[in-house]
Amino acid sequence: MSLKLLTDDAPLDPDDELLVAYVDGELDHDSRTQLESRLLDDAELRRRLQSLQQGWDYLDDFPALTPCEKLVESTLELVVSDIVKPTAESSASRVFVNRFRWPLITAGLCVLGILAAAVTIYGVRSFHYQTQLEDLAIAENIDAYYYGRDLQLMRDLALNESWTNLVTAMKEIGDLSPPEPIVSNVDLSEREDLIETLSLVQRSLLDSNWKRFTRLDEQDQQQIRQTAERVQAQPNADVLLQTMQIYSAWRETLSSELRDKIESDDLDQRREAIKQAIDQTQLAMSKRSSLNLSDDTIERIAFALHQILKMRLQNEDPGATKFISRLKQFVDSERAELMAVGAMVFGDAGRPDGRGGRFGFPRGPSDRGSSDRGSSGNSLNDRPAPLTLEELAMIEIILSDADRDVLDSIAGDPRNPMMEAVTLRYWAEETVRRKAWSRNENETTLVDRYQQLDPHDRELIDLLPAKQAIDRLTPSYRRGP
């Protein structure tokens, strides 16, 4: 029986790896069936399997670190030397040794076979474990390597000034947070110790990405590994990887049509799609920024809007004056002013479905009906005109320095006039929404009003269809026509 020690010059036999995976229960159904068919026909393969199974029990006795190869060789040499070396014992001892020589040699070879099998199993497991540690860093950035595999596209984006400005703005307003490296920036020899120190959130994120990576078929895994190798070979690998990470997050906000165009081989189509995607992202970012406005900013903008309405009334603006006059027939002055500001900010005449104005603002009497004039003779156009650029500038003046910095991030420096106007309109709309809701936040709910009814009226409500019951419980000023 010949033994070959496990060294870098003697790579693992594929059959040994296959047998170890079989013993570990890691083979799929087809591979296991094929191997068992081979075992039925191949006596040598069965013998090797038996040796591996016997060596299995020796694994727990091995230290955690990779065994020293020289130590293993020395141990094996001593065993062989003890078996075959001549002794100076008495003739009776030599007769005994000669009589049991072959059984002893056979037993020794069996021991060597078991040791070799154990070393083989340990080597296979160590090899797989090292491979997993390498793949873990790749799995950490699975989206970047998978969606950013077109390195030329990544370089084009990195050199695109509009895209880099957009990324900067998204970072400043909190729309984009590039992931912090977990294990990818740590040497392979230190990763195992690092994993034990990770927080629960980091472990969960890493585990999620690892599962996604292992679920891919071998071809996709290999493609991702190749992309990672190509990136690491670049002189600006860190910058390139960060661009890939940002792109993989950004593309998720785009439509599938735009993504296909950006990732196409048609360069003209790609450039146009990138420009269109940047414009769409800027508008979406401008709208989302309104959700982050502080209460102080809301109060500042609300003050500016009421001042704008007051100036229009002082200047006897027809739309504002007639609109306020109509509303005061149905609601108090405070609500009429709030609704006038809302009409001025949202700047349309409400939906034509007869169910109320845009964003829940009640529609005026002249808005009811299909003609341009209501029963009172008022025109649908008798409402405040939308905010002008000069009025938007009044809002910008009253903002704090921090709010202006956010506006600079979104609209650019120098500011893009269109993006500045759009952003200020979004902020004004958010202000009206919050102020309208805060005014009604202490009003009773439908359930409260139902419970406040006397038993007789409550029974009548119970007999009504759901829609009519809700209408009966809803205040008149909030009902549709």
Side-chain angles (χ1 to χ4, degrees), residues 202-476:
Q202 290 175 317
R203 289 194 181 198
S204 299
L205 178 60
L206 204 57
D207 180 64
S208 174
N209 287 352
W210 175 253
K211 289 179 179 177
R212 290 173 55 202
F213 178 78
T214 54
R215 289 193 191 105
L216 296 175
D217 56 45
E218 183 58 34
Q219 183 178 358
D220 287 338
Q221 289 184 14
Q222 190 58 30
Q223 185 179 34
I224 292 176
R225 292 187 187 101
Q226 291 172 355
T227 301
E229 291 177 359
R230 290 168 54 204
V231 171
Q232 294 303 318
Q234 304 299 316
N236 57 342
D238 293 340
V239 175
L240 187 58
L241 178 58
Q242 187 178 49
T243 301
M244 296 164 70
Q245 291 171 336
I246 295 172
Y247 173 74
S248 66
W250 179 54
R251 74 184 299 279
E252 294 302 315
T253 67
L254 308 177
S255 65
S256 57
E257 181 181 1
L258 266 181
R259 291 199 297 261
D260 292 341
K261 290 180 179 179
I262 290 175
E263 295 169 1
S264 71
D265 295 329
D266 187 332
L267 297 183
D268 293 334
Q269 185 182 63
R270 172 183 290 185
R271 281 192 290 268
E272 182 61 28
I274 290 175
K275 182 179 181 301
Q276 185 179 352
I278 290 174
D279 291 341
Q280 289 185 6
T281 304
Q282 284 184 316
L283 289 174
M285 179 176 62
S286 174
K287 187 172 185 177
R288 286 195 300 272
S289 68
S290 65
L291 303 178
N292 298 325
L293 295 177
S294 66
D295 292 340
D296 176 68
T297 302
I298 293 295
E299 292 298 329
R300 288 170 180 262
I301 297 176
F303 175 79
L305 291 174
H306 283 283
Q307 290 300 112
I308 292 170
L309 178 62
K310 183 177 180 181
M311 290 176 56
R312 288 191 181 187
L313 294 175
Q314 289 175 348
N315 295 331
E316 298 182 349
D317 177 80
T321 303
K322 293 180 180 179
F323 191 75
I324 289 286
S325 299
R326 281 191 296 126
L327 291 177
K328 285 184 177 179
Q329 300 175 31
F330 305 93
V331 297
D332 57 64
S333 298
E334 183 182 356
R335 178 170 288 275
E337 184 175 343
L338 176 61
M339 294 166 66
V341 170
M344 181 174 64
V345 169
F346 293 108
D348 65 14
R351 300 193 317 238
D353 57 6
R355 291 296 301 165
R358 185 183 178 191
F359 296 100
F361 286 97
R363 300 173 63 184
S366 66
D367 294 349
R368 303 173 186 176
S370 58
S371 65
D372 287 343
R373 307 187 67 83
S375 59
S376 62
N378 292 322
S379 169
L380 283 172
N381 295 323
D382 290 343
R383 62 175 53 246
L387 293 170
T388 65
L389 294 178
E390 290 77 10
E391 290 169 340
L392 290 174
M394 293 175 60
I395 297 176
E396 192 274 341
I397 290 174
I398 207 171
L399 295 175
S400 65
D401 291 340
D403 293 326
R404 290 197 188 96
D405 290 340
V406 174
L407 196 58
D408 287 338
S409 299
I410 298 173
D413 189 12
R415 292 179 187 168
N416 180 323
M418 184 197 75
M419 284 304 305
E420 179 181 7
V422 167
T423 303
L424 289 172
R425 289 186 191 279
Y426 280 134
W427 290 8
E429 290 182 4
E430 179 64 18
T431 297
V432 173
R433 288 192 191 94
R434 294 196 200 176
K435 299 300 289 185
W437 289 338
S438 65
R439 186 184 187 280
N440 297 324
E441 64 183 0
N442 294 323
E443 292 187 356
T444 56
T445 64
L446 289 174
V447 175
D448 293 334
R449 289 192 288 274
Y450 175 80
Q451 293 176 344
Q452 291 170 5
L453 295 174
D454 60 63
H456 175 71
D457 291 339
R458 194 180 304 171
E459 290 180 2
L460 294 177
I461 292 291
D462 292 339
L463 296 174
L464 292 175
K467 182 178 181 305
Q468 293 183 23
I470 292 175
D471 287 341
R472 288 284 298 272
L473 293 171
T474 302
S476 59

